[in-house]
Amino acid sequence: MRPLVLAALLTAAIASPALAQNAPAATALPHRQGLSMEMPTLQEDAALQAAVASTTRPEADRARDGQRHPFETLTFWGLHPAMTVVEIEPGRAGWWRNILEPYAAATGGRYVAVGRPTEGMGVPDGTADMVVVARAFHNWSRDGRVEPYLAAFFKALKPGGVLAVEQHRSKEGVNVAEVASTGYVPESWLIHAARAAGFELEARSELNANPKDDHDHPFGVWTLPPTRTSQGEGRTLTAEERAAFDAIGESDRMTLRFRKPGAAD
């Protein structure tokens, strides 16, 4: 059995009565951006455990699980069997797709990959249970796609549906237009954009936080693993510099759960 409580997972959600039964007492944690945060109780999901542990996933994907926390993150987002899940720009490597697609197939759900949301979300309006966006808002902020994309997500989700976000997080108090080219954006900016599109911020987690990441790297977030860019713009990292950036690990990331207002099915 996988441990039900992770010290790293911080969320504002209150466990449902079914999940809270026999749960350990929640630990009070500091407030951040006005949100109360508690230790959650994670529900066991054998199908999700199997999808994450499957040897059909690329070895390189599984090697990153310790830093990307797929089971815990998907549980935080509220993934459960028979959902219709739309992933935005899954990329050629398909890190999340390699978990979500077999999970949907095993549980009677549906997985849909979408590359250009404004051209279609792949599902009828108001029918998606979850829209997943991982590490993409920094790109969209640079060419005006944030607002129309969020509108497309909102339209595709059913009332009570979830917008699940994982994103490289910059320091607060910086201009998104100046920092987005490094791959990072401020958490407060993203929350504001989603709220402006009609979403409610239901919970946020420090599960994928990395306090060792100071967000200041010669080649932006791509200096860090897994990309590990070491040369460009007339500069080449020394072996010592490369080792130091590798020691940081993957980026400091926000993990957010937004909900479209309305009653879920």
Side-chain angles (χ1 to χ4, degrees):
M1 293 289 289
R2 192 182 186 95
L4 298 185
V5 178
L6 282 146
L9 184 55
L10 309 178
T11 168
I14 299 176
S16 69
L19 297 185
Q21 189 174 12
N22 300 321
T27 302
L29 294 169
H31 287 215
R32 178 168 178 170
Q33 295 183 344
L35 289 176
S36 170
M37 299 163 67
E38 297 178 354
M39 296 296 294
T41 300
L42 300 186
Q43 180 180 10
E44 290 293 328
D45 185 333
L48 181 54
Q49 290 176 353
V52 171
S54 175
T55 55
T56 63
R57 291 179 64 209
E59 183 177 352
D61 281 15
R62 289 184 282 122
R64 298 174 64 196
D65 286 356
Q67 298 196 61
R68 294 199 67 173
H69 313 104
F71 177 86
E72 298 83 0
T73 299
L74 290 168
T75 301
F76 167 76
W77 284 335
L79 182 71
H80 58 74
M83 272 188 162
T84 295
V85 178
V86 179
E87 184 181 6
I88 310 301
E89 297 181 358
R92 287 178 295 178
W95 198 91
W96 284 113
R97 181 175 191 162
N98 292 333
I99 298 171
L100 290 168
E101 192 166 30
Y103 176 82
T107 64
R110 183 184 178 197
Y111 171 86
V112 180
V114 171
R116 295 181 176 86
T118 53
E119 296 178 13
M121 286 290 290
V123 296
D125 294 347
T127 63
D129 294 292
M130 180 179 288
V131 172
V132 175
V133 181
R135 309 178 182 217
F137 276 94
H138 57 284
N139 290 323
W140 304 342
S141 71
R142 302 175 70 188
D143 57 13
R145 284 183 285 169
V146 171
E147 184 174 341
Y149 276 20
L150 284 169
F153 306 160
F154 193 89
K155 190 175 182 181
L157 284 165
K158 62 178 59 174
V162 170
L163 171 61
V165 176
E166 176 200 16
Q167 173 63 46
H168 310 296
R169 174 173 56 191
S170 73
K171 297 177 181 178
E172 287 297 332
V174 298
N175 188 328
V176 67
E178 296 176 358
V179 75
S181 63
T182 69
Y184 296 92
V185 299
E187 185 170 343
S188 58
W189 167 84
L190 200 158
I191 291 172
H192 175 78
R195 282 174 167 165
F199 288 100
E200 297 175 348
L201 177 62
E202 185 173 67
R204 54 176 302 281
S205 171
E206 291 296 277
L207 173 62
N208 293 303
N210 181 357
K212 293 188 292 184
D213 182 7
D214 65 4
H215 316 95
D216 183 16
H217 317 307
F219 312 115
V221 72
W222 304 281
T223 312
L224 302 178
T227 306
R228 302 180 70 248
T229 299
S230 299
Q231 185 175 6
E233 300 181 357
R235 176 176 178 180
T236 300
L237 299 182
T238 65
E240 291 77 12
E241 288 174 324
R242 180 68 268 161
F245 287 120
D246 287 347
I248 292 172
E250 296 202 25
S251 67
D252 176 48
R253 298 181 305 283
M254 64 186 89
T255 308
L256 307 173
R257 184 172 77 241
F258 297 94
R259 198 171 292 276
K260 179 176 177 176
D265 290 343

